[in-house]
Amino acid sequence: MYLPRSLISHLYLHLLRTHRPLSTPVLLLVALEPDALCACRILTTLLKRDYIPHKIQPISGYGDLARAGEGLVRPMRTTDGGTGGVVVCLGVGGLVDLSTVLGLEIDEDGQDGHGDVEVWVVDARRPWNLGNVFGGQAPQPALAEVNGNVRNREKGVDRGQIQRSYKPGQGGIIVFDDGDVEGELRAEREAYCTLAEMPDVEDDGVESDGSETDGSRSDTPNEARPSNKRKSWSDREDQYNDSDDEDERPRQRRRSSSNASLSPSPSQPTRRGLLSTSNHAPNSTSPSTLSRSSPRESKSPPPAQFPKLPSARTLRRRLLRLRRKHEAILRSYYSLGASYSEPISSLLYSLASELGREDNDLLWHAIVGVSSLELYGRTMTGVSISSFSESGRSAGWSSGRGERIRQVLRDEVRRINPPEVNNTGREFNRGDSSGVIPTTARSPTDTSIRLSPEPRFLLIRHWSLYDSMLHSPYLAAKLHIWSDTGRKRLHKFLAKMGVSLSQCKQSYTHMDMDLKRGLRELLLKYAPLYGLDGLVPPAASVNPSRQGWGFVRSWGWKACLSATDVGVVVGAILEVGKAGVHVSETGGWDRGRAEKRELVDEEGHKEGEEWVGRFWEAYDALENIDALKLALPTAMYLHRAILRTGTSLIEKRQIRHLRAFRMAIVKEGPDVHLFTHPAALTKLALWVGEAIAEQEREQRGKLGKKGTPLVL
């Protein structure tokens, strides 16, 4: 079943009304990624405010998901002694059949099932498992004999769509729709529901497109087979009817098992005495002869005939054709490949807004979750380089749709954080209109969110200007930073702007204030000379809607961080962990010990436990600014490693261009152990992929619509 976006608060309000202090806690299954982490923070804040007990279980893969189903979900079922409850999947479960993975399927005896366990699925990955979207309903034994459509309407479910009359708490799998199911999956919905209502007919492949094969005819009984003797008129009629339209066959083709002739139809010619079975002479006027050969009799109007129903074979052919048609629609949907839709943190912020609970903290978590998708290259076409990163506009997921989501978030920032009346002139001079990147708060108690014209640099507030530009994936690809020529181009770019290397290698917060005020204008003036369109967003005077502007939040005098900075730091904690940096800096990492651990931990249990430990560190850092600042060196270390490893792969020509894809293996260097985490390896692949795309664009003049896949 799926919950339309217009009813996004329907399930939560029912949970709020029915939950008791002694009820089973709500179980949250959370993926190990920044977007799911921010969504978890939003949902747990709502649950805490409503005094609803809950439990968080990190999920590092499908193995963890199956173990959570066996140890945590199944005991909640009423058939296993539990009291039912709610399970929320954040960033997990959208691609698989959750009834099977969580162990909620019905056994051979028709027992067990969901057992009043209701599973909410909030996932941005596509394609959906359509069994979760349009199926996933708890069985109703009392209504087993009732038609499926009637049963769904009585439950408040119309062909998988939850209606306002739906009463939660009966168990089942419910998918939160962000608008894709209603807007884009109408054909898939019709195909899935039609297939679910079809009777089971075995498709042995013998009959195809309504025609019979030799195999099907050989299986017919002997008395139904055509003989080798001269064909009678009835056999000729059958042969004639076989060439007619397929839908007309059941009405014209009727063969008797006793080979007896049938009464002719009015449209057929008058039959002669050749078919007479009596012993009368040809000129005899017997009733039998008159009934078959009298012209007067043939001219008489035919008796009234009732429409003949299709035969069972024809109905079977039609059913198989219809089933193949709908199955082809579902196969086409599943063959689209992996992609990503709206971030789940944005979807859960919509839930909070529907409930009237939005505030700065929840808005900030939604902004960080949306900003983090760009870091991992998640788009509507899968994990790839965003096309917007090449056009000078805001880079990110889902092109126009992503920009619309950001515009809504900008409007929310202006609504919840209005400018102070007495500081209007100061605000004008401090950055929003002058284009200076804010680095400090307005006051010691300032925790507001502001819009900022963020350049496409990396951690600029916490690094030097030079390092921030050097480790930016966008500048690395455009200027070819991996080569000595690219480094010289960067130095020349800084020299044209009038920024010395000694100044730009200082911490950005300690740079000359006049230089920081004029940096934006210098970038807008000289960036197009190096093909760096879109390095900084347009000014507010030219861009009233401030499209492409980023988000910045202050924590008093403690810190001032952008949403992208927080996404980078939280992602680094999940991928590397705080302990990994200290071990690498002290040189205590042992390659042989790591290989031994891999041999012992073949199933990945210890590695999963290590990732779960990092989950709690990142979860705490989202609410603890001190922990977030302590993790800044981790993020810097990871991006230095990406630059070193990517440069090594390109300069040593370790990227092989095969016929269908490119492939590279990271097997040597001091940073190999960092890329054992798939998310860190994805960041490296995006860095290398953007560099290769820029090289091809310069060599060929343009890049094809569909680039060559990169396997790393």
Side-chain angles (χ1 to χ4, degrees):
M1 300 176 287
Y2 71 93
L3 182 71
R5 189 153 191 166
S6 58
L7 301 177
I8 192 171
S9 62
H10 183 69
L11 298 180
Y12 187 87
L13 290 175
H14 179 270
L15 175 66
L16 182 61
R17 290 192 301 266
T18 59
H19 213 277
R20 301 291 181 266
L22 298 180
S23 300
T24 304
V26 176
L27 179 62
L28 307 180
L29 305 179
V30 188
L32 304 183
E33 53 188 31
D35 184 31
L37 209 62
C38 294
C40 180
R41 271 293 184 184
I42 295 174
L43 185 56
T44 53
T45 302
L46 296 177
L47 294 174
K48 288 177 181 177
R49 292 176 182 176
D50 294 323
Y51 302 100
I52 299 177
H54 55 276
K55 178 181 180 180
I56 302 174
Q57 179 63 38
I59 302 296
S60 62
Y62 288 118
D64 272 4
L65 185 60
R67 285 189 290 271
E70 183 68 26
L72 299 175
V73 179
R74 287 177 63 92
M76 296 171 60
R77 300 188 302 180
T78 54
T79 54
D80 288 346
T83 59
V86 175
V87 179
V88 184
C89 296
L90 297 177
V92 295
L95 305 180
V96 296
D97 184 5
L98 281 177
S99 296
T100 303
V101 176
L102 297 179
L104 301 179
E105 70 275 7
I106 302 176
D107 57 15
E108 298 177 356
D109 300 331
Q111 302 297 326
D112 295 333
H114 294 87
D116 293 344
V117 175
E118 199 169 72
V119 182
W120 302 353
V121 184
V122 189
D123 199 351
R125 294 177 296 174
R126 301 292 183 269
W128 284 114
N129 184 286
L130 298 180
N132 298 333
V133 179
F134 304 121
Q137 303 176 20
Q140 299 287 336
L143 300 176
E145 301 299 329
V146 186
N147 180 270
N149 291 336
V150 177
R151 180 172 66 250
N152 288 344
R153 292 192 187 100
E154 289 181 358
K155 292 175 56 180
V157 180
D158 181 18
R159 299 177 74 84
Q161 180 184 9
I162 291 179
Q163 307 294 317
R164 193 172 295 275
S165 59
Y166 175 77
K167 295 182 179 180
Q170 304 173 3
I173 298 174
I174 301 175
V175 169
F176 279 60
D177 178 26
D178 59 356
D180 289 349
V181 178
E182 290 242 331
E184 301 177 5
L185 299 185
R186 295 179 180 177
E188 287 79 3
R189 178 188 178 190
E190 179 67 25
Y192 183 92
C193 295
T194 303
L195 287 173
E197 296 168 1
M198 278 186 180
D200 293 334
V201 177
E202 183 179 357
D203 187 2
D204 51 6
V206 173
E207 297 179 357
S208 177
D209 298 331
S211 61
E212 292 182 279
T213 62
D214 295 336
S216 63
R217 293 183 180 180
S218 63
D219 294 336
T220 57
N222 293 333
E223 56 270 13
R225 297 179 183 175
S227 63
N228 295 327
K229 299 179 181 179
R230 181 180 178 182
K231 293 182 179 180
S232 64
W233 270 101
S234 61
D235 292 336
R236 294 179 185 177
E237 292 166 8
D238 290 342
Q239 184 177 5
Y240 173 77
N241 293 338
D242 284 347
S243 63
D244 289 346
D245 186 75
E246 189 176 85
D247 294 338
E248 298 297 328
R249 290 183 186 175
R251 184 173 60 84
Q252 296 180 359
R253 179 177 179 180
R254 297 179 61 188
R255 179 175 297 175
S256 174
S257 59
S258 60
N259 289 333
S261 61
L262 303 177
S263 59
S265 62
S267 61
Q268 296 173 349
T270 306
R271 299 184 182 179
R272 304 297 179 180
L274 179 65
L275 298 178
S276 177
T277 57
S278 63
N279 294 326
H280 297 282
N283 297 329
S284 175
T285 57
S286 64
S288 175
T289 306
L290 290 174
S291 64
R292 295 181 179 272
S293 59
S294 175
R296 185 177 300 176
E297 187 71 23
S298 63
K299 294 180 181 179
S300 61
Q305 296 183 0
F306 296 99
K308 297 178 181 179
L309 298 177
S311 64
R313 177 177 294 181
T314 302
L315 291 176
R316 183 175 182 272
R317 288 196 190 108
R318 293 179 182 176
L319 189 62
L320 290 177
R321 284 200 306 271
L322 186 61
R323 189 172 75 178
R324 294 189 191 106
K325 173 186 175 183
H326 292 314
E327 287 176 347
I329 293 176
L330 300 187
R331 282 195 301 269
S332 175
Y333 172 69
Y334 285 125
S335 63
L336 293 176
S339 60
Y340 294 86
S341 186
E342 181 177 345
I344 60 175
S345 53
S346 170
L347 192 61
L348 286 184
Y349 181 76
S350 299
L351 171 63
S353 179
E354 187 77 15
L355 297 172
R357 310 282 185 82
E358 65 269 29
D359 59 13
N360 254 356
D361 292 333
L362 300 186
L363 177 59
W364 180 247
H365 292 322
I367 292 172
V368 172
V370 171
S371 302
S372 67
L373 288 192
E374 178 187 350
L375 303 174
Y376 295 94
R378 296 183 174 180
T379 66
M380 291 293 289
T381 57
V383 179
S384 61
I385 302 170
S386 175
S387 59
F388 265 38
S389 64
E390 306 164 4
S391 61
R393 296 171 64 189
S394 175
W397 66 276
S398 188
S399 60
R401 185 178 179 184
E403 185 56 38
R404 288 194 297 271
I405 294 292
R406 290 188 181 86
Q407 190 58 46
V408 171
L409 295 176
R410 294 186 194 105
D411 294 340
E412 286 290 292
V413 168
R414 298 189 188 98
R415 182 178 68 86
I416 301 178
N417 301 269
E420 298 180 11
V421 178
N422 55 352
N423 285 339
T424 303
R426 186 182 178 188
E427 182 74 21
F428 180 86
N429 294 326
R430 288 201 54 167
D432 276 9
S433 298
S434 61
V436 179
I437 303 171
T439 56
T440 57
R442 300 189 185 98
S443 65
T445 59
D446 180 24
T447 58
S448 63
I449 304 174
R450 288 178 284 172
L451 299 179
S452 170
E454 296 289 304
R456 302 185 64 179
F457 301 155
L458 189 68
L459 300 174
I460 186 171
R461 293 173 180 80
H462 320 285
W463 232 334
S464 65
L465 177 62
Y466 182 81
D467 286 332
S468 178
M469 298 175 70
L470 185 68
H471 294 90
S472 168
Y474 177 74
L475 284 178
K478 292 290 185 179
L479 299 180
H480 297 192
I481 292 296
W482 59 85
S483 63
D484 292 337
T485 305
R487 301 285 179 100
K488 292 178 181 178
R489 292 180 70 186
L490 176 60
H491 296 167
K492 188 176 180 180
F493 179 44
L494 291 170
K496 275 187 174 293
M497 292 192 301
V499 182
S500 64
L501 289 178
S502 59
Q503 276 187 329
C504 66
K505 288 186 178 181
Q506 295 178 357
S507 175
Y508 181 80
T509 55
H510 298 142
M511 284 179 60
D512 183 68
M513 194 61 197
D514 294 333
L515 179 60
K516 288 194 289 187
R517 288 195 185 101
L519 181 62
R520 175 187 176 81
E521 297 298 328
L522 293 173
L523 290 174
L524 288 172
K525 180 179 180 181
Y526 293 104
L529 300 178
Y530 293 86
L532 302 177
D533 298 325
L535 185 62
V536 288
S541 57
V542 182
N543 183 20
S545 63
R546 301 186 182 183
Q547 185 177 5
W549 283 40
F551 305 89
V552 175
R553 190 179 188 188
S554 303
W555 285 266
W557 299 138
K558 287 186 177 181
C560 180
L561 294 169
S562 69
T564 304
D565 293 345
V566 176
V568 168
V569 174
V570 172
I573 296 175
L574 290 172
E575 297 151 18
V576 180
K578 297 179 180 179
V581 177
H582 300 300
V583 171
S584 300
E585 289 178 349
T586 57
W589 182 74
D590 186 6
R591 181 181 178 88
R593 187 181 307 168
E595 290 179 352
K596 183 177 179 181
R597 186 187 68 178
E598 290 178 1
L599 293 176
V600 174
D601 187 25
E602 293 181 354
E603 297 183 358
H605 294 309
K606 295 182 180 179
E607 187 178 46
E609 293 176 0
E610 182 181 356
W611 291 356
V612 167
R614 298 174 187 173
F615 172 87
W616 295 115
E617 293 177 359
Y619 183 81
D620 294 337
L622 278 176
E623 291 286 342
N624 188 349
I625 185 58
D626 294 326
L628 204 60
K629 290 173 61 178
L630 289 176
L632 281 169
T634 303
M636 296 177 180
Y637 177 77
L638 175 61
H639 284 275
R640 287 193 186 102
I642 290 174
L643 178 62
R644 286 193 298 264
T645 308
T647 300
S648 175
L649 290 174
I650 295 176
E651 286 194 334
K652 294 182 179 180
R653 301 182 182 276
Q654 294 179 341
I655 304 172
R656 300 182 60 187
H657 193 173
L658 304 179
R659 179 176 298 178
F661 58 91
R662 289 183 173 87
M663 183 180 67
I665 301 175
V666 183
K667 57 184 177 180
E668 59 184 12
D671 308 309
V672 177
H673 64 287
L674 294 178
F675 301 108
T676 56
H677 195 283
L681 190 63
T682 300
K683 288 182 178 179
L684 175 61
L686 290 170
W687 192 96
V688 174
E690 196 162 356
I692 294 175
E694 187 62 29
Q695 281 183 321
E696 286 192 353
R697 190 180 296 105
E698 291 182 358
Q699 293 173 0
R700 302 179 183 178
K702 63 178 182 179
L703 190 65
K705 294 182 179 179
K706 186 176 181 181
T708 307
L710 174 63
V711 179
L712 194 62

